[in-house]
């Protein structure tokens, strides 16, 4: 404290940031105790968007709980779908066919790109860069169009199914996607990296801000790019591969210092790696069925079959009136790497057609909890940078 | 890297009276323990070099009302970044003694998970630095994820008190609405 400030008789004030604030990326309320411009204490409050998804899923069948997962992290709904399906498949012991695995991997990586674009560009907007934000939404639009082409929905897709995917992708889709992957590295280079990477304002606002060491990051349970920015190469896709990840080559980008800039850089590199994975998947994708042979036991048959095939009609009728088959008794924890980090589903089955307990380990929830640590002794403006860098979606945080 | 069965065996050897049961399902092993010496066991898992569970993946509660003798279970999913192995620890919490030791001083990340578990199940964590409700309003009554909490019902007396207040404020503010 300077001499002038001492004479001026200052006192700490408490201000409330949010629940509605453009920089909080949703309904997050952060109560800041300030000494001048320095944050003394930071307390995040969540729960404004709590919808009881866990409780709801426990009263629904395995299949009808799937659309709820879309609404969690609504800008990367496909990853949530896949995460849930992977968990339920492990519980039932179902192996989806190769083609479905590749399609899912493509979708997951497309989601990662679109989610990272939003995460990065809104973060840039918070710090004051408007142009990449506009560019980002334009690029994301192309991916969203591709989602729409496959499953008819743009945001809440509900595309993955237990034991496969809902419908096959068209050749037109693959062609357009390939075209996108060819252009995308140039887009990253031209529109984001040249604008941001060595931008003086960006460097000053991000370098050395919100530092978290590797040990702390692990101890706090951080995952995803937020953890990898601190230099820990933990990635569920590498450590416990699911779907088509064992068949493709990619690197896990890591940072060094664990500050906001390194996390930004990590996400930027991940865009390129995702692009690489999509390209490989399109090239390697085999032909064949998209649903596991034993999955239809509890998944509704496709609509066109219901209208033409008697057996499918009976099957659908039985599923709707009687409910699906019983699950094996046991419990499973399955983790997948969604754009934000590790999404874990812990499902306890008591042998009925509904999950007895479904627990969601949401990465955003864990990431918000580390906010007080990041904001210790930072300036108010750095709080904005820190909220952006942990890349949260409050729908997932509150569930 | 160690097989989960091996890790469960190690815990069983060291704490033979504490471990109640070891089950395996689809390659994942759960160790059911009594809650009294939970912190000691967790410290052992965290600090032993060949185990080194440095990352608490998840912590949650499960309500087994009417299904098991002890109503609640607190489930810990532990993972080791160095050795890449995982184990599931389940600590039993009876309804009439609804508290368990907090593990926040071993894994800082347990803080919010424990708060959520308290919020949803009413399990108290001894030694937690800041045990408040997290997802529900602070004056909420009842614990939503318990099995006897209704999913959809006329709550009557159980209704949240703040609800009426909020509606009243909204009614009062109607005069400011732009028509």
């Amino acid at each position: 404290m300077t001499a002038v400030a001492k004479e001026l008789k200052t006192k700490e004030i408490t201000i409330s940031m949010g629940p509605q604030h453009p920089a909080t990326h949703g309904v997050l309320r952060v109560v800041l105790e300030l000494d001048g411009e320095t944050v003394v204490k930071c307390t995040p409050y969540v729960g404004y968007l709590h919808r009881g998804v866990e409780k709801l899923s426990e009263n629904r069948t395995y299949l009808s709980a799937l659309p709820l997962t879309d609404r969690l992290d609504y800008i990367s709904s496909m990853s949530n779908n896949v995460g849930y399906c992977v968990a339920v498949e492990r519980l039932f012991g179902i192996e989806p066919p190769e083609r479905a695995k590749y399609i899912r991997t493509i979708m997951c990586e497309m989601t990662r790109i679109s989610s990272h674009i939003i995460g990065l560009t809104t973060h840039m907007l918070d710090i004051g860069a408007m142009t990449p934000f506009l560019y980002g939404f334009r690029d994301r639009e192309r991916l969203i169009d591709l989602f729409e082409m496959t499953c008819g929905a743009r945001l809440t897709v509900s595309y993955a199914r237990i034991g496969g995917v809902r419908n096959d992708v068209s050749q037109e889709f693959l062609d357009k996607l390939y075209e996108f992957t060819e252009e995308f590295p140039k887009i990253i280079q031209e529109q984001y990296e040249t604008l941001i990477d060595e931008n003086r304002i960006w460097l000053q606002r991000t370098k050395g801000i919100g530092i978290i060491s590797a040990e702390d990051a692990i101890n706090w349970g951080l995952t995803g790019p937020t953890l990898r920015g601190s230099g820990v190469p933990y990635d569920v896709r590498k450590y416990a591969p699911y779907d088509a990840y064992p068949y493709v080559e990619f690197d896990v980008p890591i940072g060094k210092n664990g500050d906001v800039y390194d996390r930004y850089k990590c996400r930027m590199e991940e865009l390129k790696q995702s692009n690489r994975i999509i390209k490989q998947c399109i090239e390697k994708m085999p032909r064949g069925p998209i649903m596991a042979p034993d999955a239809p036991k509890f998944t509704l048959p496709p609509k066109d079959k219901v209208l033409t095939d008697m057996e499918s009609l009976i099957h659908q009728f039985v599923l709707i009136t009687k409910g699906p088959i019983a699950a094996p008794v046991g419990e499973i924890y399955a983790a997948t790497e969604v754009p934000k980090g590790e999404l874990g589903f812990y499902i306890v089955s008591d042998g009925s057609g509904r999950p007895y307990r479904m627990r969601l380990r949401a990465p955003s929830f864990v990431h918000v909890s580390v906010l007080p640590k990041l904001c210790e002794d930072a300036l108010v403006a750095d709080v904005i940078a820190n909220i952006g860098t942990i890349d949260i979606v409050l729908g997932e945080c509150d569930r | 890297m160690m097989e989960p069965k091996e890790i469960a065996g190690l815990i069983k050897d060291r704490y033979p009276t504490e471990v109640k049961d070891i089950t395996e399902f689809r390659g994942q092993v759960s160790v059911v323990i009594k809650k009294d010496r939970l912190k000691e066991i967790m410290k052992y898992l965290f600090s032993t070099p060949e185990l080194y569970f440095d990352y608490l993946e998840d912590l949650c509660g499960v309500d087994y009302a009417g299904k098991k003798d002890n109503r609640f279970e607190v489930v810990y999913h532990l993972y080791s970044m160095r050795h890449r192995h995982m184990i599931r620890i389940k600590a039993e919490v009876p309804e009439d003694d609804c508290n368990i030791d907090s593990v926040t001083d071993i894994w800082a990340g347990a803080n919010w998970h424990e708060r959520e578990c308290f919020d949803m199940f009413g399990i108290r964590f001894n030694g937690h630095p800041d045990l408040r409700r997290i997802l529900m309003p602070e004056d909420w009554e009842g614990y939503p994820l318990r099995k006897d909490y209704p999913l959809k019902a006329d709550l009557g007396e159980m209704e949240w008190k703040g609800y009426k207040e909020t509606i009243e404020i909204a009614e009062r503010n109607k005069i400011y609405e732009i028509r």
Side-chain angles (χ1 to χ4, degrees), chain A residues 15 20 33 85 93 124 130 151 215 223 227 292 337 350 360 391:
Chain A
I15 62 161
Q20 261 104 29
E33 270 171 40
C85 289
M124 290 165 194
M130 184 74 149
C151 62
E215 289 81 40
T223 44
L227 172 68
E337 183 84 18
D350 62 344
L360 265 148
D391 194 12

Side-chain angles (χ1 to χ4, degrees), chain A residues 12 36 45 93 98 110 134 142 145 165 179 184 207 246 257 266 276-277 309 347 350 356-357 364-365 376 381:
Chain A
E12 287 174 12
Y45 287 84
E98 291 281 286
M110 276 166 68
L134 297 171
R142 288 180 69 178
D145 283 343
V165 288
E179 204 180 295
F184 191 54
K207 282 240 169 181
N257 309 320
C266 265
R276 212 172 127 197
I277 296 174
D309 180 30
I347 299 175
D350 62 344
Y356 184 73
R357 168 89 171 100
S364 297
F365 184 71
E376 265 170 26

Side-chain angles (χ1 to χ4, degrees), chain A residues 53 56-58 60-70 72 77-92 104 108 160-163 242-243 298 332 334-336 338 343-347 353-355 357-360:
Chain A
V53 168
L56 282 172
S57 324
E58 284 163 23
R60 281 168 168 239
T61 61
Y62 283 102
L63 181 64
S64 60
L66 179 80
L68 294 177
T69 58
D70 286 354
L72 296 169
S77 33
M78 197 77 90
S79 295
N80 295 320
N81 282 171
V82 172
Y84 175 70
C85 289
V86 167
V88 179
E89 277 160 13
R90 282 201 198 147
L91 177 70
F92 280 88
R104 278 190 198 179
C108 276
R161 287 289 183 277
I162 300 153
Y242 54 97
D243 282 353
F298 49 91
I332 199 92
T336 48
V338 295
L343 178 72
F345 281 91
Y346 173 58
I347 299 175
R354 288 146 198 247
R357 168 89 171 100
M358 195 173 100
R359 153 82 181 170
L360 265 148

